[in-house]
Amino acid sequence: MIDWREIDTVLLDMDGTLLDLHFDSHFWLEHLPKRYVELHQLDAASQEALRARIIGEQGTLNWYSLAYWSRELGVDIVALKREVQHLIGLRSDALDFLTWLKQGHPRVILATNADRASLALKLPLTGLENYLDAIISSEDVGAAKEEQAFWFALQEREPFDSARTLFIDDNARVLESAREFGIKHLLGIKQPNSQRPEKELQEFIALDRFAQLLPDNLPGQRGER
């Protein structure tokens, strides 16, 4: 699927790609609306209203900003996330893939829309930092990955050759943005959320397991270059 002789840089999404999206889906669509209603003593209809409001911000910096939602909703989002942090976990063979990359030549960069508060919660629980050469958050550059501004800022901060870069993300809109910028090797994720059905990515090849990318499909072994 990938000729690793053509890859110098690997850009990886976090939520839904390296980490199971179940935590985020559960938190934003179930736990937060429920706790918001409890904390503010509102009626049940307010849960649906909040879900709609959250979804309405999708793809924007606000959608990904814990500070924004804490301010808007009058709750401590980080504290509420910690109530369900046991759901934070790596996807299937993500750790095998990261270990394999660390043994090889590519520069590995986490390119995430998660803000720094989210990273501060998730990185210590997952150990991702041990496998990354750099971490760039949309908060750092003031633009979400859905926007071209993110990619220009990323390339300025962590220079990469678009023709020799692999980017993996579960979000079709983000993959389209990366393609528009000129990144050549693009892959999606079939099942970002382990608790939900696989999803279709009509314009991109989607991975079932990261082992599909490895020589002979054997984690930890690097083929001839």
Side-chain angles (χ1 to χ4, degrees), residues 59 90 124 219:
L90 290 157

Side-chain angles (χ1 to χ4, degrees), residues 82-125:
R82 290 195 180 280
E83 293 178 353
V84 289
Q85 69 179 22
H86 61 280
L87 298 177
I88 297 171
L90 290 157
R91 286 188 61 255
S92 58
D93 61 347
L95 188 59
D96 288 336
F97 182 50
L98 289 168
T99 300
W100 185 84
L101 288 173
K102 192 174 179 66
Q103 295 169 357
H105 75 288
R107 181 166 173 77
V108 180
I109 300 171
L110 190 71
T112 178
N113 273 328
D115 67 2
R116 285 290 167 177
S118 289
L119 288 166
L121 173 66
K122 293 176 178 178
L123 292 179
L125 295 174

Side-chain angles (χ1 to χ4, degrees), residues 43-77:
D43 57 40
S46 299
Q47 288 194 42
E48 282 303 320
L50 178 54
R51 287 190 191 97
R53 182 177 176 186
I54 291 170
I55 292 170
E57 294 284 358
Q58 195 166 3
T60 69
L61 276 182
N62 286 344
W63 162 268
Y64 302 106
S65 172
L66 304 195
Y68 170 82
W69 291 111
S70 292
R71 183 174 63 251
E72 289 293 304
L73 303 182
V75 298
D76 185 339
I77 295 292

Side-chain angles (χ1 to χ4, degrees), residues 16 25 36 47 77 101 145 158 186 197:
S25 296
Y36 172 73
Q47 288 194 42
I77 295 292
L101 288 173
K145 289 188 292 184
E158 298 290 338
L186 300 166

